[in-house]
C-alpha cells in the first residue's frame, strides 16, 4: 500500500496531504508490527520461561521479565545424562540423511531437469503429500521383522524421505535455470554425461546445493513423528526426547522451556542468518518436510 | 569418440539413470510399505499375536466405528479452519512484504521463523501459555477485559485453539508462495490504473487478485494437504483430547497402531485416510483446471 500522493493543487502539498501521508505510514508500520509480533512474542515467552525459577514460572499474574535470570533450568537439562546421547542421535540422523540426499538427490534433480521427467519428479515428491504415518506403520512392522529396532537405522532410513525430496525439488529448479552451454561444450570434448555433470554442472550448482542442504537439515532436525514412533529409550532424536520430558518426568516449566529452546535455537539462528537464501529456496514452491 | 551435442527428441532419456537411486529409495521407503499396508489391512493383526485373514472386516467395522466417524468430522473442521485462515492472513502479509520499507529483510526473517521452528518445542511452549490457571494467554485476556478461556482443555475450544497454533506455524509458508507471485507480477497494469484514478481496493480486486490467484490456489492445495496430515501440534498439545474432541484421523490411526497395537485395523484407517487425501487433492486440482488458473 504505497502512500500515493493525492496532490492538492496550488503551490505544493498542503498540511492535509502531509498528515494523510504520515497517517498512511504509521498505519503501515502498525500493520508490520502486528504481523511480526506473534512470532516474536512466542519466542520471547519461551526465553522468559526458560530463564525464570519455578516459583516465578508458577506465579499468577505471570512474571514477564526474569529477575534475576537463572540458568538453573539449562543446567537441569544438561544434567539429564541422556541429553547428549539424544543430541548425538539427532546429529547422526540429520547429518547422515542429508549426506545421502546430496549423493542421490543432486544427480536426480539434474537428471529430471535435463530429461523433463516430471512423472519421476512426482513419484519422488509423493513423500511431500502423504502422511508419514501411512508408511510408518508398515515400516515399523518391517523393521521389527528384520530386527533393526533398537538401532538408529530405522530413523535414519525414514529421514531420507524428508531430505531427498527437498534436494530433488530445489535442484530441479536450480538446474533448469542453469544455461546448458558449458556442459554441451564438455560433451563435445568427449566427456561422458556423468563427467559433464560431476565436473561442470555440479560445481556451478553449489549455491543451490547449499540452500537444499540447509532446508534439509532444518526439516530433518525438526521432525518428531519418526523419532517418536521408531525411537527407543536410547535411540530417540531430540524432538522426541523433549516430548518425553513432558510425559515421563515431573513437569517443571522452566526445564521444559529450556529444553524446547535448546532444540529449536540452532534452527532459528540458522534461519535468521541466511534468511535470503532460505526465502529463495522456499519460494520456489511449497517445500516442507514430513 | 565424441558424440554429437544434445539433440533429438529423446535425447533427454539418457539422463534418466541419474534419478534412479533417489527413485529407488523413495519406492523402498514409501511405495513398497503401502502395498504391505494393503496386505495388513485385510488381517486381524495385533502386535505380539498371530495374524488372521479377515477380508474386508476391518473396513466394514470402520464404517460403523463412531470414533472413526467423529475423527473424520474433526479432521474436516480442523482442516477448513487451518486452510482458510492462513490463506487470508498469509496473502495479507504477502501484500505488506511486497512493499519496500526499512528493515523489510529483517522483518521478513522474523516473520518466517515460525515455519522453521521445531514444531514440538513450540507446541510445548504454547501448551504452557494455554494453561487455564497459570498461562500467560488468559492473563493477557484479563488485561483487555475478556473472560478467561479453557483453550485446549475444553471440548468446545480445543480445535480452534489447535488451529491457532497451526496458523501461527504455517501462515509464513502461504506468505512466501504468494509473495513469489507478487514479485513476478508486471507493473504496467498498476500504472495505467493509477492514471485512470482507480482506488487501492479496485486495483487489488481487479489487478492483484487475478494475478496472484494461481499462487493462492497452489498455497491452498499445499495447506490442505498439510492440514489433513497435521500431527505434531495436536499430539503434543491435546493428544486428541479432551476425550476424543480433537482426535483427527491421523491421531486416531496413531493411537490404533501404537497405543492399542491394532495394526490391521490401523492399516485400514490408513487406506481410507489416503483415499480421502487423494480425493481432496484431486478436487482442488480439478477446480484449479476448471477456473483456468494455470
Amino acid at each position: 500500500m504505497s502512500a500515493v500522493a493525492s496532490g492538492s493543487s496550488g503551490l505544493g502539498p498542503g498540511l492535509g496531504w502531509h498528515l494523510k501521508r504520515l497517517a498512511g505510514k504509521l498505519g503501515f508500520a502498525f500493520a508490520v508490527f502486528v504481523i511480526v509480533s506473534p512470532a516474536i512474542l512466542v519466542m520471547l515467552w519461551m526465553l522468559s520461561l526458560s530463564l525464570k525459577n519455578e516459583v516465578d514460572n508458577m506465579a499468577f499474574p505471570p512474571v514477564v521479565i526474569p529477575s534475576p535470570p537463572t540458568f538453573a533450568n539449562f543446567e537441569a537439562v544438561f544434567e539429564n545424562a541422556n541429553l547428549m546421547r539424544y543430541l548425538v542421535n539427532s546429529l547422526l540422523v540429520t547429518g547422515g540423511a542429508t549426506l545421502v540426499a546430496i549423493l542421490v538427490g543432486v544427480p536426480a534433480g539434474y537428471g529430471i531437469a535435463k530429461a523433463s521427467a516430471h512423472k519421476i519428479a512426482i513419484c519422488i515428491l509423493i513423500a511431500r503429500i502423504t502422511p508419514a504415518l501411512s508408511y510408518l506403520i508398515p515400516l515399523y512392522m518391517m523393521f521389527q521383522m528384520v530386527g533393526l529396532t533398537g538401532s538408529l537405522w530405522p530413523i535414519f532410513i525414514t529421514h531420507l524421505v524428508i531430505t531427498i525430496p527437498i534436494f530433488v525439488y530445489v535442484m530441479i529448479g536450480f538446474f533448469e535455470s542453469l544455461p546448458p552451454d558449458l556442459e554441451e561444450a564438455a560433451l563435445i570434448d568427449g566427456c561422458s554425461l556423468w563427467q559433464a555433470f560431476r565436473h561442470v554442472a555440479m560445481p556451478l550448482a553449489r549455491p543451490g546445493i547449499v540452500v537444499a542442504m540447509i532446508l534439509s537439515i532444518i526439516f530433518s532436525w525438526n521432525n518428531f513423528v519418526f523419532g517418536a514412533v521408531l525411537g527407543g529409550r536410547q535411540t530417540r532424536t531430540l524432538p522426541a526426547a523433549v516430548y518425553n520430558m513432558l510425559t515421563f518426568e515431573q513437569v517443571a516449566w522452566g526445564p521444559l522451556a529450556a529444553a524446547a529452546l535448546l532444540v529449536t535455537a540452532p534452527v532459528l539462528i540458522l534461519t535468521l542468518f541466511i534468511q535470503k537464501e532460505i526465502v529463495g529456496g522456499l519460494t520456489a514452491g511449497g517445500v516442507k518436510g514430513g | 569418440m565424441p558424440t554429437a551435442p544434445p539433440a533429438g527428441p529423446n535425447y533427454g532419456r539418457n539422463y534418466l539413470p541419474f534419478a534412479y537411486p533417489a527413485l529407488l529409495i523413495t519406492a523402498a521407503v514409501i511405495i513398497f510399505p503401502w502395498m504391505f499396508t494393503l496386505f495388513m489391512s485385510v488381517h486381524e493383526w495385533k502386535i505380539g499375536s498371530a495374524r488372521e485373514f479377515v477380508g474386508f472386516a476391518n473396513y466394514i467395522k470402520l464404517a460403523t466405528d463412531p470414533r472413526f466417524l467423529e475423527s473424520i468430522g474433526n479432521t474436516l473442521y480442523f482442516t477448513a479452519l487451518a486452510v482458510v485462515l492462513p490463506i487470508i492472513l498469509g496473502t495479507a502479509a504477502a501484500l505488506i512484504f511486497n512493499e519496500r520499507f526499512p528493515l523489510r529483510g529483517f522483518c521478513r526473517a522474523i516473520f518466517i521463523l515460525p515455519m522453521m521452528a521445531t514444531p514440538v518445542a513450540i507446541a510445548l511452549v504454547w501448551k504452557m501459555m494455554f494453561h487455564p490457571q497459570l498461562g500467560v494467554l488468559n492473563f493477557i485476556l484479563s488485561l483487555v477485559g475478556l473472560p478467561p478461556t479453557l483453550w485446549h482443555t475444553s471440548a468446545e475450544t480445543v480445535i480452534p485453539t489447535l488451529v491457532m497454533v497451526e496458523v501461527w506455524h504455517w501462515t509464513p509458508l502461504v506468505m512466501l508462495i504468494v509473495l513469489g507471485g507478487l514479485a513476478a507480477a508486471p507493473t504496467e497494469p498498476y500504472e495505467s490504473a493509477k492514471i485512470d484514478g482507480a482506488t487501492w481496493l479496485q486495483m487489488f480486486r481487479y489487478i492483484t487478485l487475478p494475478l496472484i490467484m494461481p499462487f493462492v490456489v497452489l498455497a491452498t492445495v499445499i495447506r490442505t494437504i498439510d492440514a489433513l496430515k497435521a500431527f505434531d501440534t495436536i499430539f503434543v498439545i491435546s493428544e486428541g483430547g479432551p476425550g476424543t474432541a480433537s482426535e483427527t484421523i491421523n491421531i486416531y490411526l496413531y493411537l490404533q497402531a501404537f497405543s492399542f497395537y491394532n495394526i490391521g485395523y490401523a492399516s485400514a484407517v490408513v487406506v481410507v485416510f489416503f483415499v480421502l487425501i487423494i480425493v481432496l487433492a484431486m478436487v482442488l486440482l480439478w477446480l484449479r483446471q476448471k477456473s483456468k488458473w494455470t
Side-chain angles (χ1 to χ4, degrees):
Chain A
M1 201 199 302
S2 51
V4 183
S6 50
S8 59
S9 56
L11 292 167
L15 182 66
W17 181 82
H18 278 294
L19 278 178
K20 219 175 168 182
R21 197 177 138 89
L22 186 69
K25 277 196 169 170
L26 281 177
F28 187 78
F30 181 72
V32 172
F33 174 76
V34 167
I35 61 170
V36 295
S37 51
I40 295 182
L41 289 177
V42 172
M43 306 292 177
L44 285 184
W45 193 247
M46 173 160 64
L47 190 66
S48 164
L49 284 170
S50 71
L51 292 175
K52 284 185 293 199
N53 58 43
E54 217 41 39
V55 177
D56 280 355
N57 268 336
M58 290 293 155
F60 196 88
V63 177
V64 177
I65 294 165
S67 63
T70 167
F71 288 102
N73 297 323
F74 290 95
E75 280 161 25
V77 171
F78 278 108
E79 268 166 30
N80 181 342
N82 268 337
L83 181 91
M84 277 303 152
R85 178 182 287 274
Y86 300 141
L87 176 67
V88 171
N89 288 349
S90 262
L91 289 174
L92 283 175
V93 166
T94 295
T98 303
L99 209 68
V100 173
I102 297 177
L103 291 178
V104 305
V106 178
Y110 182 71
I112 292 170
K114 284 281 162 189
S116 313
H118 298 296
K119 278 185 187 140
I120 293 189
I122 289 171
C123 279
I124 293 172
L125 294 176
I126 225 160
R128 173 71 185 71
I129 299 168
T130 50
L133 283 167
S134 73
Y135 46 85
L136 258 182
I137 296 172
L139 280 175
Y140 177 85
M141 297 301 284
M142 291 195 287
F143 286 134
Q144 224 173 26
M145 287 171 183
V146 193
L148 274 177
T149 40
S151 74
L152 274 179
W153 284 106
I155 306 182
F156 159 73
I157 292 170
T158 44
H159 271 246
L160 290 176
V161 175
I162 305 171
T163 57
I164 292 177
I166 291 179
F167 261 91
V168 170
Y169 201 82
V170 173
M171 294 323 292
I172 290 177
F174 204 89
F175 282 121
E176 273 176 350
S177 66
L178 213 62
D181 316 13
L182 279 171
E183 301 150 57
E184 280 168 14
L187 290 178
I188 292 168
D189 287 347
C191 277
S192 68
L193 290 182
W194 173 257
Q195 284 167 329
F197 161 71
R198 176 66 193 83
H199 299 292
V200 181
M202 207 166 124
L204 288 174
R206 200 166 287 161
I209 296 176
V210 170
V211 171
M213 226 171 93
I214 292 162
L215 291 176
S216 129
I217 287 173
I218 288 179
F219 286 115
S220 162
W221 178 268
N222 281 350
N223 180 277
F224 165 67
V225 68
F226 294 151
V229 169
L230 300 168
R233 184 173 282 280
Q234 302 297 323
T235 55
R236 274 182 204 123
T237 49
L238 270 181
V242 171
Y243 170 74
N244 256 55
M245 280 182 71
L246 182 72
T247 45
F248 289 118
E249 281 167 37
Q250 198 185 9
V251 181
W253 284 15
L256 201 56
L261 187 69
L262 286 173
V263 172
T264 198
V267 169
L268 299 182
I269 292 166
L270 202 62
T271 307
L272 282 180
F273 271 101
I274 41 174
Q275 58 101 3
K276 213 173 254 174
E277 286 77 8
I278 290 183
V279 169
L282 285 168
T283 345
V287 181
K288 186 195 139 210
Chain B
M1 268 293 94
T3 44
N10 289 327
Y11 186 80
R13 275 193 194 165
N14 297 337
Y15 284 98
L16 287 183
F18 282 82
Y20 289 162
L23 198 61
L24 193 75
I25 293 177
T26 317
V29 182
I30 298 187
I31 297 169
F32 175 62
W34 283 343
M35 298 175 194
F36 196 54
T37 301
L38 286 177
F39 172 76
M40 292 192 298
S41 75
V42 291
H43 288 84
E44 164 91 39
W45 194 340
K46 267 198 157 237
I47 290 181
S49 55
R51 66 166 189 271
E52 184 196 338
F53 181 77
V54 292
F56 289 104
N58 283 328
Y59 292 96
I60 294 163
K61 197 170 139 201
L62 263 186
T64 54
D65 179 348
R67 204 167 154 181
F68 176 64
L69 297 176
E70 190 197 343
S71 78
I72 295 181
N74 288 339
T75 306
L76 294 178
Y77 178 29
F78 176 86
T79 302
L81 287 177
V83 171
V84 171
L85 295 175
I87 290 290
I88 296 172
L89 295 171
T91 306
L95 290 172
I96 290 174
F97 281 114
N98 194 42
E99 296 298 322
R100 300 199 167 278
F101 58 89
L103 289 177
R104 179 172 72 156
F106 178 72
C107 289
R108 196 180 55 189
I110 300 281
F111 188 76
I112 62 168
L113 279 185
M115 65 175 286
M116 310 307 274
T118 312
V120 172
I122 297 299
L124 289 173
V125 176
W126 278 106
K127 196 168 179 170
M128 293 185 256
M129 299 201 298
F130 288 142
H131 195 284
Q133 281 84 44
L134 305 171
V136 69
L137 288 178
N138 272 348
F139 173 66
I140 293 175
L141 285 182
S142 75
L143 284 184
V144 271
L146 290 170
T149 302
L150 285 171
W151 303 107
H152 66 284
T153 57
S154 137
E156 282 89 59
T157 50
V158 61
I159 287 184
T161 300
L162 293 169
V163 167
M164 195 171 113
V165 180
E166 186 82 356
V167 168
W168 184 87
H169 262 296
W170 296 114
T171 299
L173 184 70
V174 177
M175 187 282 282
L176 283 181
I177 296 170
V178 177
L179 190 63
L182 281 171
T187 52
E188 297 90 33
Y190 294 95
E191 282 156 14
S192 46
K194 263 183 211 167
I195 292 167
D196 292 344
T199 65
W200 180 83
L201 201 67
Q202 284 171 327
M203 287 201 279
F204 175 75
R205 170 69 187 81
Y206 295 105
I207 306 175
T208 311
L209 204 57
L211 277 174
I212 60 173
M213 211 54 208
F215 295 87
V216 175
V217 173
L218 175 68
T220 307
V221 174
I222 290 172
R223 266 309 312 145
T224 306
I225 290 166
D226 286 352
L228 283 173
K229 57 180 203 167
F231 181 78
D232 298 12
T233 307
I234 306 176
F235 187 71
V236 171
I237 293 180
S238 76
E239 281 170 279
T244 55
S246 63
E247 204 167 85
T248 57
I249 303 175
N250 221 359
I251 298 285
Y252 184 58
L253 93 87
Y254 177 90
L255 293 176
Q256 281 295 348
F258 300 112
S259 292
F260 313 145
Y261 299 115
N262 292 322
I263 291 294
Y265 195 54
S267 298
V269 178
V270 168
V271 174
V272 176
F273 187 25
F274 202 69
V275 171
L276 182 75
I277 289 184
I278 298 289
V279 167
L280 275 175
M282 299 281 259
V283 167
L284 283 169
L285 287 173
W286 176 75
L287 280 175
R288 184 179 165 173
Q289 293 278 321
K290 206 184 163 216
S291 325
K292 289 178 195 156
W293 300 321
T294 36

